[in-house]
Amino acid sequence: MKKLIILFALLLGLPGIAQSVHPKLVWIRPEGGERNEYVYFRREFTLDEMPQKSEFHLYADSRYALYINGNYMGFGPARSFHINPYHDTYNLLPYLKQGKNVIAVKVLSNGMLTYQLFDYKGGFTAWGNIELKNNKINLSTDTGWLCKKSKGYDQTAPRFSFATGAIENWDSREEWDWNLPQTTIKGWTVPVPLKNQTIWGAFKPRPIPKLTNTPINSLRLRMAYPLSNEEDIYSFRISTPDSDMKEYNTSNPAIACTYIHSPTDQNVSIGLWWGDHYLNGQILEKDTLQKNESHRRQYTLNLKKGWNTYVVRYGIIWGSWDYYMAVPKNAGLTLSCSKEKGSQDLFKTYGPFYDEKGKKSIEQANLAVAIPELFQNTIAEKWKFQNRDSDADQPARDLAWKAVDTPMLFVPKTTIEGNRIIPISKNGIALFYDMSETQLGRIFIEGDFPTGTQIDIGFSEELDKNGFPWLYKRFQVGAGLRFITSESKKRYESFKPYGLKYMHINISGHDRPVILNKVGVVRQVYPFEKIGHFECSDPILNKIWDAGWRTLQLCAEDTYTDTPFRERGLYAGDMLPQTAITMAAIGDLRLVTHSLKVFQDMYRDEMMTGKENRHNDFPLITQVTMDYYCNYTNDWNLAKKYYNNYTSLLRNHIQKKDKNGLIPASRVFLEWTDINRENAAMTAYQALLAHSMQITAKWAQNFGFTEDKLYFEKEAGQLKKDINKVLWDSEKQVYRDGLKSNVLLTESHLTSNIWPLLYDISDSEQEQYVLALLEQELTDIGNISRKRKITPYSSFYLFALLYKNGKADLAEYFMKKHWGPMALHSAKPTVWENFDISGNQGTSSHAWSGHPTYFLSTEVLGVNLGFQTPFDPNRIEIMPQSATLEWAEGTVAHPLGPVYVKWEIDGELLRLNYKAPKGALVKVSPKGRLGKLKLITTKLN
């Protein structure tokens, strides 16, 4: 397997041992980048002859898209912290031509903390040469480069979600040709070196292959409608700071007001965004029967003839107040903050203010008074107008608020070439596309668009109850982007990748029909090559294996991620099962190695200083993962390199021991259900700590640190004793969840019992009680999301425990019952975050739920890979176990190479055929029900 991975690296042009470099970074200003700032860089040159060689290196903070003569080359750099940055390398030769050439790079300065980009400063650097017969062209950013800030991207656009950066909103009309050789360079300037070059460490070559760049067209157009003309929608947007999670979640109150003119006394139902709404001094109560509660709430206005006062106060969170009001056209209402019909000024807004006095003045303002009195009670000059032209400019909300005219469903006409003709419509046309399966990639749309056409693209994993893309399944996620077109540009593509299965596209503002060629996604994931496969006598289990593999691909980019949709963040709790699946199905562990290295920078403060983490169990899980990786590869260099990080982490934890010998934490994750997580010594966390100490003691012995070995063995042994002394309920024969404020918690979640048993805390008597508890409780775990007795997250540890103890019957029952609905959900399913996808919380593609793929490979096929089982990477052990299957066959990636297994029950016989790498030592020993049959083994050539 090592040879195979080295071969992968050679084939992909990855350097083995490479020198670090320290190039200077540049930007449009010496201070660096701003929030959501896109900057274009270009280097022009002329070739009189075709070059013999051309190697180009670059790095961007935060992200780049590289083009050569208008051809897309790649996206990067690989995810990292500033202390350990990676540069990318490209061979330009295939895209160069005689005559004028241009290297063009679009660089995003993220300017905010996200789950993909941990640091955010803004900067760009490039270097390399084009080698000609008699000279070279220097490609360094020190000379010959020009740059220009994009004016087309909305720098103030709100975040896509709490975990990701800003929504993409690009008006291409003045800069559509920024990356083409013929672009005019008027207004472009020479980039300047950043003042502070010490932020970044030495640049190293990218440690993983480049991500895929595979165009995938949508499967079909599901529906097309004109947009409804029944409502007038008024909106505005006010941005607030969101550079980190504290700012993002801080409430900043503000007020808006206007007058509403009604032609008669009438009750009118209108749609509003959140807030405290007042009409004529009376607070409004939202209607009982709500529609689309997540992004729109209905209110009934009891309007009098003439002008009515309307005031709203809202605590702005999540970096943006996207205010919307939807009014039925047939009500004849007029809005004006100056009581003038036809006025351009719709609203006046006050705030937000960021000092306590200013905040308090808004929070305490009496909104029941007349608007003139409200002005008198506040600082008049701080009120701002929001006019008809200053709408929210928020594509995700526009898509959700603009209703389709459902009776007018139509099928667009097509050209002779098969392209769709999108007709002119007063309000626009809505198109709904199906990708057939969930994808992660850059969204694209191709066609012939009149200048000024507005293309809004929303996307989702699931459909809502009406069969439309569920855009605001979670109200905090604004899944939308916007392009304003230029007549000359035929293809529009998002800069960043997004996860989706369905698309909702609104096309509006076109003064002639649009010819639409293609809609789809350019798949951008880690280029895994599958070695493993699985089939058995139960079709449900086959689909479960496939769903786990499919989900792993979507959750693997330049690190592992939790989900392709909501967060795309690197989490230790997700990565452990992802590592296991990768071992079983692929064997390429470069992404594992890279992700583990990124964790060292992510948890540096926790490891070195004892700083508390919002998930204090996750740094420990990175050690469990690293230990598993080193066992699998038999390469302990990574553990040796980071040994001091983990000894420091554990010593810091040990110093927090309470009088009971337990180690409390301010917060842990443990399980995705309603278990206590805060300010307690939780049982599962104690078991993990003890296991981590045992791992460290083993490492210490391997690396020759005898004192450390003795110390951590002693601490682990004592913690085990204290867990059983304090947290075991001898009356109920279960582990309690933990100890909080020196009082035992009353609950006993399954996780609190699984982890002590899995990590060898329990004695044999306790083991039997816990296994009996699982037999009883797993038959009915409840049906309320995130209140179940167990979730997919901790089921990874459950399956490891069940198979370790020969409970294949319970494992297969539980797997089919709870993963079966996922596997049957669609033709190409993925696995879910929770055991259901109802409600507004869980994602439909989630990394931590894919682990049945691993256990079907390692337990049903039986190729031992060593998670919580004894393992020797220099031999192959085939130990299948199954309580319900009649046959199974497949391939598992092993450190020595692919192992093929096929077994079948034939009466009292178990016929097992296998194929292993030449010269490998193989041991076959079925377990459980299969172990009771007479074994007939055949080695295949």
Side-chain angles (χ1 to χ4, degrees), residues 570-762:
L570 172 61
Y571 285 96
D574 294 83
M575 191 191 154
L576 177 52
Q578 286 175 300
T579 297
I581 301 165
T582 305
M583 289 174 175
I586 300 135
D588 174 4
L589 301 186
R590 286 172 293 176
L591 193 61
V592 175
T593 308
H594 172 58
S595 298
L596 286 170
K597 288 180 178 179
V598 172
F599 275 129
Q600 305 309 305
D601 292 333
M602 182 186 292
Y603 295 135
R604 187 169 300 278
D605 288 345
E606 289 84 345
M607 290 172 167
M608 295 296 113
T609 68
K611 174 187 173 184
E612 291 273 327
N613 185 276
R614 64 188 295 263
H615 299 142
N616 277 290
D617 42 335
F618 280 9
L620 298 170
I621 291 176
T622 69
Q623 186 185 24
V624 175
T625 307
M626 188 176 292
D627 185 67
Y628 186 29
Y629 163 86
C630 293
N631 270 314
Y632 179 92
T633 61
N634 203 26
D635 181 352
W636 293 91
N637 287 322
L638 203 62
K640 193 168 186 177
K641 180 177 181 179
Y642 297 118
Y643 172 80
N644 288 336
N645 290 6
Y646 290 107
T647 57
S648 176
L649 175 68
L650 287 171
R651 289 180 194 277
N652 286 323
H653 282 312
I654 289 167
Q655 289 177 5
K656 299 172 186 174
K657 271 189 183 182
D658 63 18
K659 64 181 180 181
N660 298 292
L662 303 178
I663 300 174
S666 59
R667 201 172 189 280
V668 290
F669 184 80
L670 296 183
E671 172 63 297
W672 206 211
T673 189
D674 60 355
I675 192 171
N676 177 77
R677 291 191 181 90
E678 296 182 351
N679 302 314
M682 297 300 291
T683 302
Y685 178 58
Q686 306 306 300
L688 179 59
L689 281 161
H691 182 56
S692 209
M693 292 172 192
Q694 288 283 31
I695 289 173
T696 307
K698 179 184 71 175
W699 289 6
Q701 182 175 12
N702 290 348
F703 306 149
F705 301 114
T706 305
E707 289 186 10
D708 283 358
K709 172 187 177 293
L710 296 174
Y711 172 75
F712 287 109
E713 277 184 344
K714 179 182 176 184
E715 290 293 337
Q718 187 58 51
L719 183 55
K720 287 182 180 181
K721 290 178 183 178
D722 291 329
I723 292 170
N724 287 324
K725 178 181 176 182
V726 179
L727 300 173
W728 176 257
D729 186 332
S730 56
E731 182 178 335
K732 294 184 178 180
Q733 304 295 351
V734 293
Y735 286 101
R736 298 277 194 93
D737 279 350
L739 191 72
K740 184 169 185 174
S741 301
N742 209 35
V743 176
L744 276 174
L745 296 171
T746 56
E747 296 87 358
S748 296
H749 279 83
L750 295 184
T751 299
S752 303
N753 288 271
I754 291 167
W755 287 34
L757 189 53
L758 181 64
Y759 289 141
D760 300 321
I761 307 297
S762 314

Side-chain angles (χ1 to χ4, degrees), residues 69-361:
N69 294 326
N71 297 295
Y72 185 89
M73 292 286 288
F75 176 89
R79 205 176 299 199
S80 67
F81 284 78
H82 284 156
I83 193 172
N84 285 305
Y86 299 105
H87 67 80
D88 289 338
T89 299
Y90 291 87
N91 174 20
L92 307 185
L93 283 182
Y95 297 95
L96 297 178
K97 61 184 181 178
Q98 283 188 292
K100 186 177 179 181
N101 291 262
V102 62
I103 302 171
V105 189
K106 182 191 294 187
V107 179
L108 166 65
S109 166
N110 206 49
M112 64 188 88
L113 179 67
T114 71
Y115 288 20
Q116 303 82 46
L117 302 169
F118 315 112
D119 303 320
Y120 43 95
K121 302 298 179 188
F124 171 66
T125 187
W127 67 99
N129 293 293
I130 296 175
E131 297 186 12
L132 303 168
K133 191 178 294 183
N134 297 316
N135 66 317
K136 294 181 179 180
I137 298 175
N138 180 7
L139 299 179
S140 168
T141 39
D142 291 341
T143 179
W145 283 79
L146 296 174
C147 64
K148 183 180 181 181
K149 177 173 177 169
S150 168
K151 294 181 180 178
Y153 278 97
D154 178 5
Q155 218 177 319
T156 69
R159 284 176 178 252
F160 170 86
S161 77
F162 62 94
T164 60
I167 287 172
E168 294 182 52
N169 185 346
W170 184 42
D171 186 338
S172 72
R173 285 175 287 187
E174 299 299 322
E175 53 191 46
W176 66 271
D177 59 349
W178 71 272
N179 61 344
L180 300 179
Q182 64 266 29
T183 301
T184 175
I185 59 172
K186 184 179 178 181
W188 290 69
T189 61
V190 176
V192 296
L194 294 177
K195 248 184 219 177
N196 187 356
Q197 298 281 341
T198 64
I199 294 170
W200 295 270
F203 291 89
K204 302 181 186 72
R206 182 184 183 98
I208 55 174
K210 294 182 179 70
L211 305 182
T212 61
N213 188 42
T214 310
I216 299 174
N217 294 334
S218 60
L219 173 70
R220 62 186 174 123
L221 174 66
R222 299 180 67 249
M223 299 175 286
Y225 302 92
L227 289 171
S228 173
N229 193 37
E230 294 182 354
E231 292 182 324
D232 287 320
I233 297 177
Y234 306 100
S235 67
F236 62 81
R237 174 158 54 88
I238 296 175
S239 300
T240 57
D242 63 354
S243 65
D244 56 31
M245 287 301 103
K246 183 178 180 182
E247 286 186 346
Y248 176 77
N249 289 312
T250 296
S251 176
N252 296 291
I255 296 171
C257 67
T258 193
Y259 293 99
I260 303 174
H261 185 272
S262 175
T264 185
D265 292 345
Q266 60 178 326
N267 290 331
V268 178
S269 179
I270 70 170
L272 291 168
W273 176 239
W274 301 355
D276 297 325
H277 304 274
Y278 289 78
L279 181 70
N280 296 326
Q282 300 295 315
I283 193 165
L284 296 174
E285 298 293 335
K286 65 183 180 181
D287 295 349
T288 305
L289 295 175
Q290 287 294 296
K291 178 184 179 183
N292 300 325
E293 173 83 10
S294 62
H295 67 271
R296 171 175 171 159
R297 295 174 176 178
Q298 290 296 122
Y299 292 81
T300 298
L301 304 186
N302 184 5
L303 295 166
K304 62 183 182 181
K305 183 177 180 179
W307 291 101
N308 298 261
T309 64
Y310 166 78
V311 186
V312 57
R313 176 167 48 213
Y314 175 62
I316 304 174
I317 54 173
W318 307 336
S320 183
W321 185 8
D322 306 327
Y323 176 86
Y324 279 73
M325 175 191 284
V327 177
K329 285 181 181 289
N330 60 13
L333 305 183
T334 302
L335 267 65
S336 169
C337 62
S338 57
K339 286 188 177 181
E340 297 177 7
K341 289 187 177 182
S343 169
Q344 292 298 304
D345 296 322
L346 296 180
F347 296 90
K348 268 191 167 182
T349 58
Y350 187 68
F353 307 120
Y354 301 106
D355 61 287
E356 286 305 313
K357 183 179 179 181
K359 284 187 175 184
K360 196 165 286 187
S361 70

Side-chain angles (χ1 to χ4, degrees), residues 446-652:
E446 281 186 18
D448 181 11
F449 308 100
T451 294
T453 302
Q454 180 171 300
I455 304 171
D456 288 349
I457 305 178
F459 43 93
S460 71
E461 295 181 293
E462 294 293 326
L463 300 175
D464 64 19
K465 61 184 179 182
N466 298 312
F468 295 109
W470 198 348
L471 297 184
Y472 276 97
K473 178 178 180 179
R474 180 165 174 158
F475 45 73
Q476 203 174 0
V477 178
L481 53 91
R482 172 171 294 165
F483 301 112
I484 307 295
T485 66
S486 169
E487 182 100 23
S488 301
K489 187 172 177 63
K490 305 304 180 187
R491 180 184 173 97
Y492 295 85
E493 184 175 296
S494 67
F495 176 79
K496 294 177 279 191
Y498 300 94
L500 67 142
K501 185 176 180 182
Y502 302 101
M503 277 191 265
H504 171 178
I505 301 177
N506 283 357
I507 297 178
S508 60
H510 49 296
D511 56 9
R512 60 170 172 79
V514 165
I515 306 301
L516 193 56
N517 301 343
K518 294 178 183 177
V519 170
V521 166
V522 181
R523 187 173 171 94
Q524 185 173 296
V525 297
Y526 187 91
F528 281 134
E529 294 186 16
K530 186 176 69 166
I531 291 174
H533 79 281
F534 176 85
E535 288 184 73
C536 70
S537 55
D538 190 330
I540 296 294
L541 293 180
N542 299 339
K543 290 182 71 69
I544 290 172
W545 193 98
D546 287 339
W549 153 245
R550 195 173 291 114
T551 306
L552 177 71
Q553 296 173 81
L554 295 170
C555 299
E557 302 180 49
D558 47 7
T559 63
Y560 287 104
T561 65
D562 60 331
T563 168
F565 182 69
R566 185 184 65 213
E567 294 168 51
R568 296 177 45 236
L570 172 61
Y571 285 96
D574 294 83
M575 191 191 154
L576 177 52
Q578 286 175 300
T579 297
I581 301 165
T582 305
M583 289 174 175
I586 300 135
D588 174 4
L589 301 186
R590 286 172 293 176
L591 193 61
V592 175
T593 308
H594 172 58
S595 298
L596 286 170
K597 288 180 178 179
V598 172
F599 275 129
Q600 305 309 305
D601 292 333
M602 182 186 292
Y603 295 135
R604 187 169 300 278
D605 288 345
E606 289 84 345
M607 290 172 167
M608 295 296 113
T609 68
K611 174 187 173 184
E612 291 273 327
N613 185 276
R614 64 188 295 263
H615 299 142
N616 277 290
D617 42 335
F618 280 9
L620 298 170
I621 291 176
T622 69
Q623 186 185 24
V624 175
T625 307
M626 188 176 292
D627 185 67
Y628 186 29
Y629 163 86
C630 293
N631 270 314
Y632 179 92
T633 61
N634 203 26
D635 181 352
W636 293 91
N637 287 322
L638 203 62
K640 193 168 186 177
K641 180 177 181 179
Y642 297 118
Y643 172 80
N644 288 336
N645 290 6
Y646 290 107
T647 57
S648 176
L649 175 68
L650 287 171
R651 289 180 194 277
N652 286 323

